[in-house]
C-alpha cells in the first residue's frame, strides 16, 4: 500500500438502505397498505387484552364534508394519546364515531338538491340524508386513516344505526320517566307564509321599512314617581305590543323623570334630548334622575288595558337608540324570552301559524300581524298612548325561500328541565369532583355555562334525525308522551331504524286502546312531528357506545375536543350522564384551541388562507402534519402556514438524518451477538446513555401531561444537540477506523443501538410512519424478528442501562462538554490562519491547578481526543483551578488512514503511511 486511497477499503464506512430523502407522500400509503395486510390493528388489539383499560372516547364529527385542518388536529392528538397509552401497557381501544343526523347535514343536502322542504316528502328526504351521511362517513374514514390514526375503523359508532338510535330513545325514556322532560313555549324564527319554523341558517337579512313608535305606558301609583307618570317605550313592531308583559330597563343606566306638555315621562337620560327633539317637545323639565335598577318591579297598565305588567331589568337595553325602555314580549323575541325565564313572565302567543291574531287579540283577531300595525297605532293614538311615530328602514330577517319578513313566534317545544331533582347543582358538583379539566381554566368556563344556561330545548322542527315519539290528541290537541308508545317505538327502531315513525301507523305503537289523552281522555292521536336535538344524539354516546361495547368502559378516562365543546358536547354528554348515571361520563376533559393562519387570522375561503390536510399530505406527507400537531402548544390557537410547514420539514430532516446516521453505522451489528458490556464503554458512551435515559424520562413526563410539544422538543433537542452536535460527531473515528469487531467500536455500536431502540419507540406516537420505517431498517434481537411494526413495541425501559457509572457520567463530563465551543473557536482561529485543516491537525492543552480536576482529566486522556476530535490532548498541572484550553499544531506525522497525528506513523515497514492504531485495525487484512 502506498497511498491513502487504498486504505479506504479498510475503513468501516457507513452503509444503509434507509434513504435520506423521506418521500413521505409516496411512501406512507405503502406503509398503510402493509399495516392493513398484516392486520396490525387487530394484532394490537389482541396483544392488549386483559390489560388495564384506558379509554379515550371519540367526539363524533358531522358526516357532511371533507375533513379540515381542525379535524386533523383533533384526531391526531387523540391518536398520539392512544398510541402512547398502548405502548405504556394499557388496553386502549379507540372507537371513532360520526354524528350523522342534524341540521348541518340536512342543510348541506337541501343545498345540494337545490330544493325546499315542501318539495320532498320526509321519508324520501331521510333516505337521501342517510346515503349522504354514509357517503361522508366513508370519505372521512379514509382521510383519517391516511393520517396514520389507528382505531376500529371498520366498526365505528354512527348515530344513525338502528342500535344507536334505540339507545338514544332508551336514554330519552329514562329522562322522561325521571320527570326531566316537559313542554313549554319558546320563540323561534317563523315564516307565516311557509308556515314553518326556520333555523338561523334559513334566515336572510334584507332592508325593510318598519314603523318606529313611541308609546306611553301608564304606571300605577307609586312613591318613586308621584302623580300621573308614563314609561316611554319604543318599538318597531307595534303588533307585538298585544303580547307585552313587561318593560325592560338597564340597571346601570340613569333615567330621567321629565315633565312635558304631553305628560310626565320616564326616559333614559342620555336619550332624552334626541327623543324630545324627535317628538317636537322643546319645553320640558327634568324633575328627578335615578339608576334603572330602582325601577325594577314598578307596575304599569298595558296601554290596551289587556293586563297589568311590570318593569324588569336587562343588560341588553341599548343606550344608543329608542328610549332606554324596551317593550318585552317573551313570545316574540329571544332576549325577551330569556328575560321572561328569569322573571317567570307569562308567554303570550296570540298569533297562529299563518301569522294571524287569534281570539285573544280582541278587536284585532283575524288580522295578519303586519296588517294590524296600522289599526293598533290608530287605537293607541285614540286613547292618547301614542307619543309620536315615524317610519324607518332597517335590516330585518326574511325567509330564505319566500322572502317574506319573518316573525318571532313562540311555539311549543320539549325541554330538559335543568332544575328538576336538583340537577343543576349535581352538574356543578360533577364538574368539580368527578373531572380533571385540562387546562384547569376549563372548569370555571363550563361551570359558568352550566350555572347560566336555560333549560335544554330538545325539540327541532326538522326532517332529519330521531323523531320525538309524542302523541297529539286529535280531539283537544294536547301533546304528551306515553311510555308504552316510546317503548314499543324503540323496539321497532332496533329492527327498522327511526324511519318507522313516519312509515308505520300510530296503531302499530299502541296495544289496543290502552292509551288515553291525559286531558280529555280521548283515544285518537296523531304522531308528534318534532325531531330530537342532534346534540342529544351525540350527548348519550356514553350510553350507546361506552356502556354497550365491551372493549370500552364507563366513565371514559378522557374526552378531548376543541374548547368550543364546553358549550357543546361536554355539556350535552354531562347532562344525560348525571341524570342517568349520577356522575360525569369522563374522568378527564382535555381541550385544544383552534387552527389559524400564519399571522393568527381565522381561516376562510374568502380570505384564501385555508390550508387543508389533504394538501399538506400531498405536498409534505402525513408525518409532517403530525409533527405540526406534536410541536404545537395546543392550549392556544395554533398557527399553520407554508413557512411553518417548511420549518417543520427541516426539523423532520434533522430527526430523520440522525436515525439514518445511526442505522448506517449498525449495518454489521447484531444486538444479540455483537453487543458488548459496559466495561468496554468509554466515558462519553456513558454520557450519551445518561442523556438518553433523562430524555426518555422527560418525554414520558410530557406525554403523561398531554404536553406533546414538550415531548417533541426534548426528542428534537436530543437529536440535534446531544447526538448531532456531540456524540455522533465524536464517535465517527471510532466507528470508521477501528477494527470492525474491536470492543471499542462494538461499544459505540452497542450505545447507538440502545439510543435508536429507545428513540424509535418514543417517537412512534408522533411520527407514525417514519418511526415504523426506521424500525423496519433496524437490526433486531432474534425474539423481535417477528414484530412487524414499531407500534407493537412497548415504551423503552432503560433502567438496566443505568449503572452507577452511567448515572455519574453526565455530571462528570458536564464541565468538559462545556469547553467544546471554546476549543472549537481556538481551532477555527488556527484554521483561518492556515495553520491547520481538519481538527485532527491540532493538539489541545487543558490546564488546571486543581488536583482533583487534574487527576480526573488525566484518567480520561484517551477519551479526550475523541471528545475534542483532535490528535492529542495534553493535561497540564498549571494555571487556575478552572480548566483553561489552549491549542497548537499536533505533533508527529499524519496518518493517511485516520488523519490522526502521532510519532508512530511509519513504524510498520510495509505500511509507512499509517499509525500504530490503524496498523492494528487492519491487522490481517492486508
Ligand atoms: Zn317563507
Ligand atoms: Zn285530548
Ligand atoms: Zn491511523
Amino acid at each position: 500500500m502506498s497511498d491513502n486511497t487504498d486504505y479506504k477499503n479498510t475503513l468501516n464506512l457507513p452503509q444503509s438502505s434507509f434513504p435520506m430523502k423521506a418521500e413521505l407522500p409516496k411512501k406512507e400509503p405503502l406503509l398503510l397498505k402493509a399495516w392493513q395486510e398484516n392486520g396490525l390493528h387487530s394484532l394490537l388489539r389482541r396483544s392488549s387484552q386483559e390489560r388495564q383499560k384506558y379509554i379515550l372516547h371519540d367526539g363524533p364529527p358531522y358526516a357532511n364534508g371533507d375533513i379540515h385542518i381542525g379535524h386533523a388536529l383533533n384526531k391526531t392528538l387523540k391518536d398520539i394519546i392512544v398510541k402512547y397509552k398502548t405502548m405504556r401497557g394499557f388496553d386502549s381501544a379507540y372507537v371513532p364515531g360520526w354524528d350523522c343526523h342534524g341540521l348541518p347535514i340536512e342543510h348541506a343536502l337541501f343545498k345540494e338538491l337545490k330544493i325546499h322542504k315542501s318539495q320532498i316528502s320526509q321519508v324520501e328526504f331521510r333516505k337521501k340524508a342517510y346515503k349522504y351521511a354514509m357517503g361522508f362517513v366513508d370519505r372521512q374514514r379514509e382521510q383519517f386513516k391516511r393520517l396514520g390514526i389507528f382505531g376500529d375503523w371498520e366498526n365505528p359508532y354512527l348515530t344513525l344505526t338502528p342500535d344507536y338510535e334505540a339507545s338514544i330513545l332508551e336514554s330519552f325514556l329514562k329522562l322522561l320517566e325521571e320527570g326531566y322532560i316537559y313542554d313549554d313555549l319558546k320563540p323561534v324564527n317563523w315564516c307565516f307564509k311557509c308556515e314553518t319554523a326556520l333555523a338561523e341558517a334559513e334566515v336572510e337579512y334584507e332592508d325593510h321599512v318598519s314603523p318606529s313608535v313611541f308609546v306611553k305606558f301608564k304606571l300605577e301609583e307609586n312613591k318613586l314617581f308621584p302623580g300621573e307618570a308614563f314609561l316611554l317605550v319604543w318599538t318597531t313592531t307595534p303588533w307585538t305590543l298585544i303580547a307585552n308583559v313587561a318593560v325592560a330597563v338597564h340597571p346601570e343606566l340613569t333615567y330621567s323623570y321629565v315633565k312635558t306638555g304631553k305628560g310626565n315621562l320616564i326616559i333614559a337620560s342620555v336619550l332624552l334630548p334626541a327623543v324630545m327633539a324627535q317628538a317636537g317637545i322643546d319645553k320640558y323639565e327634568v324633575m328627578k334622575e335615578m339608576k334603572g335598577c330602582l325601577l325594577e318591579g314598578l307596575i304599569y297598565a298595558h296601554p290596551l288595558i289587556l293586563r297589568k305588567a311590570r318593569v324588569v331589568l336587562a343588560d341588553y337595553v341599548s343606550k344608543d337608540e329608542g328610549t332606554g325602555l324596551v317593550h318585552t314580549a317573551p313570545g316574540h323575541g329571544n332576549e325577551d324570552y330569556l328575560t321572561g325565564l328569569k322573571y317567570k313572565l307569562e308567554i303570550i302567543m296570540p298569533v297562529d301559524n299563518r301569522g294571524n291574531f287569534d281570539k285573544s287579540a280582541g278587536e284585532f283577531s283575524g288580522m295578519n300581524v303586519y296588517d294590524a300595525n296600522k289599526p293598533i297605532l290608530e287605537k293607541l293614538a285614540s286613547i292618547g298612548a301614542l307619543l309620536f311615530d315615524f317610519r324607518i328602514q332597517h335590516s330585518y330577517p326574511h325567509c330564505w325561500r319566500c322572502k317574506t319578513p319573518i316573525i318571532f313566534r313562540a311555539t311549543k317545544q320539549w325541554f330538559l328541565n335543568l332544575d328538576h331533582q336538583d340537577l343543576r347543582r349535581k352538574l356543578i358538583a360533577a364538574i368539580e369532583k368527578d373531572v380533571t379539566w385540562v387546562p384547569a381554566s376549563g372548569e370555571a368556563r363550563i361551570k359558568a355555562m352550566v350555572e347560566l344556561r336555560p333549560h335544554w330545548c330538545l325539540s327541532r322542527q326538522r326532517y332529519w334525525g330521531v323523531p320525538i315519539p309524542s302523541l297529539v290528541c286529535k280531539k283537544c290537541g294536547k301533546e304528551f308522551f306515553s311510555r308504552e308508545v316510546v317503548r314499543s317505538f324503540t323496539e321497532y327502531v332496533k329492527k327498522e331504524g327511526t324511519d318507522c315513525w313516519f312509515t308505520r301507523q300510530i296503531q302499530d305503537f299502541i296495544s289496543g286502546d290502552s292509551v288515553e289523552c291525559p286531558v280529555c281522555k280521548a283515544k285518537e292521536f296523531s304522531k308528534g312531528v318534532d325531531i330530537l336535538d342532534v346534540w342529544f344524539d351525540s350527548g348519550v354516546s356514553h350510553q350507546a357506545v361506552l356502556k354497550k361495547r365491551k372493549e370500552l368502559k364507563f366513565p371514559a378516562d378522557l374526552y378531548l375536543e376543541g374548547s368550543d365543546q364546553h358549550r357543546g358536547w361536554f355539556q350535552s354528554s354531562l347532562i344525560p350522564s348525571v341524570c342517568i348515571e349520577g356522575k360525569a361520563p369522563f374522568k378527564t376533559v382535555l381541550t385544544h384551541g383552534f387552527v389559524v393562519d400564519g399571522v393568527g387570522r381565522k381561516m376562510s375561503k374568502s380570505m384564501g388562507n385555508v390550508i387543508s390536510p389533504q394538501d399538506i399530505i400531498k405536498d409534505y406527507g402525513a408525518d409532517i402534519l403530525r409533527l405540526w400537531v406534536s410541536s404545537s402548544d395546543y392550549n392556544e390557537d395554533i398557527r399553520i402556514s407554508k413557512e411553518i410547514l417548511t420549518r417543520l420539514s427541516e426539523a423532520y430532516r434533522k430527526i430523520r438524518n440522525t436515525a439514518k446516521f445511526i442505522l448506517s453505522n449498525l449495518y454489521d451489528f447484531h444486538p444479540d451477538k455483537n453487543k458488548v458490556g459496559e466495561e468496554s464503554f468509554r466515558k462519553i458512551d456513558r454520557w450519551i446513555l445518561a442523556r438518553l435515559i433523562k430524555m426518555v424520562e422527560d418525554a414520558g413526563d410530557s406525554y403523561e401531561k398531554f404536553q406533546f410539544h414538550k415531548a417533541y422538543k426534548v426528542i428534537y433537542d436530543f437529536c440535534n444537540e446531544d447526538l448531532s452536535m456531540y456524540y455522533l460527531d465524536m464517535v465517527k473515528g471510532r466507528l470508521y477506523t477501528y477494527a470492525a469487531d474491536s470492543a471499542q467500536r462494538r461499544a459505540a455500536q452497542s450505545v447507538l443501538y440502545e439510543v435508536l431502540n429507545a428513540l424509535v419507540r418514543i417517537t412512534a406516537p408522533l411520527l407514525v410512519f417514519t418511526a415504523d420505517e426506521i424500525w423496519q431498517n433496524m437490526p433486531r434481537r432474534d425474539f423481535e424478528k417477528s414484530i412487524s411494526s414499531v407500534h407493537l413495541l412497548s415504551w423503552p425501559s432503560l433502567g438496566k442501562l443505568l449503572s452507577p457509572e452511567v448515572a455519574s457520567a453526565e455530571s462528570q463530563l458536564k464541565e468538559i462538554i462545556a469547553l467544546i465551543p471554546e476549543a472549537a473557536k481556538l481551532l477555527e482561529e488556527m484554521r483561518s490562519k492556515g495553520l491547520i485543516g481538519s481538527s485532527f491537525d491540532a493538539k489541545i492543552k487543558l490546564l488546571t491547578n486543581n488536583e482533583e480536576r487534574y487527576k480526573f482529566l488525566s484518567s480520561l486522556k484517551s477519551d479526550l481526543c475523541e471528545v475534542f476530535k483532535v490528535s492529542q490532548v495534553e493535561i497540564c498541572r498549571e494555571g487556575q483551578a478552572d480548566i483553561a484550553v489552549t491549542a497548537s499544531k499536533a505533533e508527529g506525522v499524519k496518518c493517511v488512514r485516520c488523519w490522526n497525528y502521532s510519532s508512530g506513523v511509519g513504524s510498520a515497514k510495509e505500511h509507512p503511511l499509517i499509525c500504530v492504531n490503524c496498523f492494528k485495525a487492519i491487522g490481517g487484512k492486508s
Side-chain angles (χ1 to χ4, degrees), residues 37-55:
E37 283 166 4
N38 297 337
L40 176 56
H41 187 250
S42 44
L43 275 174
L44 260 171
R45 295 298 312 125
R46 241 178 296 149
S47 63
S48 296
Q49 300 213 337
E50 308 300 317
R51 293 178 179 176
Q52 194 190 332
K53 281 181 180 169
Y54 182 91
I55 301 303

Side-chain angles (χ1 to χ4, degrees), residues 100-115:
C100 303
H101 292 136
L103 182 65
I105 288 163
E106 183 165 333
H107 193 64
L109 181 54
F110 269 125
K111 225 168 144 181
E112 195 181 285
L113 296 173
K114 294 198 174 72
I115 54 166

Side-chain angles (χ1 to χ4, degrees), residues 895 897-900 914-915 917-918:
C895 163
R897 185 172 175 273
C898 71
W899 299 3
N900 275 286
I914 66 173
C915 69
N917 281 341
C918 283

Side-chain angles (χ1 to χ4, degrees), residues 539-550:
V540 296
S541 63
H542 44 74
Q543 300 299 303
V545 184
L546 288 179
K547 293 203 75 165
K548 293 254 163 83
R549 292 178 69 148
K550 66 177 190 322

